[in-house]
Amino acid sequence: MKRVYNFSAGPSMLPMQVLEKAANDMCCYGESGMSVMEMSHRSPEYDAIIKEAEALLREIMEIPDNYKVLFLQGGASTQFAAVPLNLMNKNGKADYILSGQFSTKAYKEAQKYGDVVAAASGKDVNFSVIPETTRESFRADADYVHICFNNTIYGTKFNYIPDTGDIPLVADMSSCIISEPVDVSKFGLIYAGAQKNMAPAGLTLVIVREDLIGNADEKTPAMLDYKLMADNDSMYNTPPCYCIYVAKLVYEWIKELGGLTEMKKLNEKKAALLYDYLDSQDYYIAPVKKESRSMMNVTFVTGDADLDKKFASEASAAGLKNLKGHRSVGGMRASIYNAMPYEGVEALVAFMKKFADENPKA
Ligand SMILES: *Cc1c(COP(=O)(O)O)cnc(C)c1O
């Protein structure tokens, strides 16, 4: 069967080269005589895989030495609780920027554990633009500031890194991790569910500055304690072994491609093709303000709910899958993560033109 172009927001496409490599290793990995799925996480073969995954990620993201890399489970949503439990430990305060649904969920979860306020919010403009902030937006005694760097549902992204002074900045990067270079040293902690841009579902990545860990609330479940996980090299218990192995293949693929600078160029080229088309016509409307546009998730509507529905179903029949927008916002969303080839976006734009011609608005 022919592979489709899968525009799903997550779980989402993986690079063909990665899938083929994984298929090739499926039954027998190297000289082990077994698949990676069947291996003890304490075996020398697996130890080499997880160490190589970490080394490659450190290399492509240029992660400074004073940061720990943790391969965890529970999804980004578990981090909504783990972050306050581990970091809200000096003054019991944290400031959140609300830029969409996930940041709002993170904010509500954190409120269970301390004095948590919204320092800025885009809710009144339906999250169509990222709120502007200055250092004065944040309480000087906040233990951290939390942002969601790329908003998967609305298709917005921070085009700046908030200036928080000495307050550690925590970022949910689930839907933009390894899509472009980021200066890790500007963040106290970065976390990401892997299933958008890195690996199959089941792996959560945490990159955390060493000095921020070791002071978790005493009621913190062991599984959420960064210090415990760091001291055990992500092997306090069984890690998501197979996902980490696929992540390693993805990191290798990016390295071979020329690293994150090259990855960014490819992603910019894909996003520009779609946004340039959206800006050149008036059949489809892109609701996000230009300065806040995401390179990974592109949202658009026809302005007519029935046409939107028809669009998603006809696109699906044409091999362009999962273009229906998130159930909370409607319309369409094209998630064009690292693994989406340029040809996939070309096919989408060609389909959009055809659909507009064939379905004039009343
Ligand atoms: C998908 C997503 C989440 C939720 O991730 P889970 O791994 O399903 O918990 C959180 N934040 C962002 C930005 C996401 O895109």
Side-chain angles (χ1 to χ4, degrees):
M1 193 188 169
K2 191 169 167 280
R3 279 189 45 97
V4 296
Y5 291 119
N6 179 9
F7 293 90
S8 168
S12 38
M13 287 182 82
L14 285 163
M16 257 329 266
Q17 182 185 315
V18 167
L19 295 174
E20 281 166 356
K21 185 89 204 336
N24 196 52
D25 289 351
M26 180 61 75
C27 297
C28 282
Y29 178 79
E31 297 301 306
S32 70
M34 62 179 87
S35 100
V36 175
M37 291 182 216
E38 301 165 300
M39 249 174 218
S40 162
H41 58 295
R42 312 274 178 206
S43 64
E45 287 91 349
Y46 192 74
D47 193 56
I49 291 172
I50 193 169
K51 289 219 168 76
E52 178 72 3
E54 179 175 340
L56 280 163
L57 184 68
R58 284 185 178 277
E59 184 183 343
I60 61 173
M61 285 188 73
E62 297 180 33
I63 301 172
D65 288 343
N66 62 326
Y67 284 73
K68 296 285 187 192
V69 172
L70 307 176
F71 295 115
L72 308 175
Q73 304 197 40
S77 304
T78 296
Q79 295 308 311
F80 298 168
V83 165
L85 281 166
N86 282 272
L87 303 192
M88 203 158 53
N89 52 23
K90 289 198 184 81
N91 301 315
K93 293 182 179 180
D95 289 9
Y96 278 62
I97 300 182
L98 307 190
S99 57
Q101 270 194 24
F102 290 118
S103 52
T104 304
K105 278 188 177 169
Y107 163 71
K108 288 192 174 144
E109 185 78 358
Q111 283 182 323
K112 295 178 185 170
Y113 303 106
D115 171 4
V116 171
V117 300
S121 172
K123 191 164 192 283
D124 56 345
V125 288
N126 199 26
F127 298 119
S128 59
V129 67
I130 296 286
E132 292 289 333
T133 56
T134 64
R135 199 180 286 199
E136 285 66 48
S137 310
F138 311 111
R139 295 178 294 182
D141 58 349
D143 289 334
Y144 65 88
V145 170
H146 179 282
I147 64 172
C148 179
F149 211 48
N150 183 79
N151 298 280
T152 325
I153 293 174
Y154 296 89
T156 61
K157 175 170 184 259
F158 276 78
N159 65 4
Y160 72 102
I161 296 178
D163 176 7
T164 59
D166 293 333
I167 310 171
L169 179 61
V170 174
D172 176 354
M173 292 201 188
S174 296
S175 49
C176 59
I177 191 89
I178 58 174
S179 62
E180 61 180 344
V182 285
D183 183 352
V184 175
S185 73
K186 293 245 165 43
F187 299 87
L189 187 150
I190 292 169
Y191 65 91
Q195 70 274 22
K196 313 280 162 69
N197 212 16
M198 209 155 57
L203 166 65
T204 311
L205 175 71
V206 170
I207 301 168
V208 59
R209 217 174 63 211
E210 273 167 5
D211 62 286
L212 296 176
I213 65 175
N215 295 302
D217 183 280
E218 60 182 24
K219 288 233 168 63
T220 303
M223 285 297 294
L224 303 190
D225 185 339
Y226 297 140
K227 181 77 166 62
L228 191 65
M229 290 296 155
D231 287 349
N232 288 281
D233 297 321
S234 305
M235 296 247 209
Y236 171 74
N237 72 328
T238 318
C241 301
Y242 195 74
C243 296
I244 295 169
Y245 155 74
V246 177
K248 177 182 96 87
L249 299 181
V250 169
Y251 306 153
E252 277 167 359
W253 173 73
I254 292 175
K255 188 180 164 181
E256 278 169 33
L257 238 134
L260 291 183
T261 308
E262 211 47 46
M263 194 77 252
K264 180 182 187 183
K265 279 189 207 154
L266 294 170
N267 285 328
E268 278 175 343
K269 201 174 151 216
K270 283 184 287 177
L273 180 64
L274 191 42
Y275 283 122
D276 286 351
Y277 170 64
L278 283 168
D279 290 341
S280 72
Q281 51 78 57
D282 55 16
Y283 187 85
Y284 304 99
I285 305 140
V288 171
K289 298 274 183 303
K290 275 189 187 173
E291 68 271 21
S292 295
R293 282 175 170 176
S294 165
M295 189 164 71
M296 298 277 98
N297 313 97
V298 181
T299 50
F300 55 94
V301 298
T302 62
D304 174 334
D306 290 334
L307 273 181
D308 288 352
K309 221 171 147 186
K310 191 168 184 224
F311 181 99
S313 84
E314 288 186 8
S316 181
L320 308 170
K321 299 288 179 186
N322 294 312
L323 282 159
K324 190 171 174 287
H326 188 270
R327 58 191 183 279
S328 64
V329 295
M332 277 75 76
R333 169 178 54 175
S335 294
I336 50 173
Y337 298 118
N338 287 353
M340 173 61 68
Y342 187 77
E343 294 73 37
V345 183
E346 279 182 325
L348 172 59
V349 171
F351 177 84
M352 289 170 76
K353 288 178 182 165
K354 181 166 159 281
F355 185 86
D357 287 343
E358 290 172 359
N359 298 277
K361 289 186 205 165

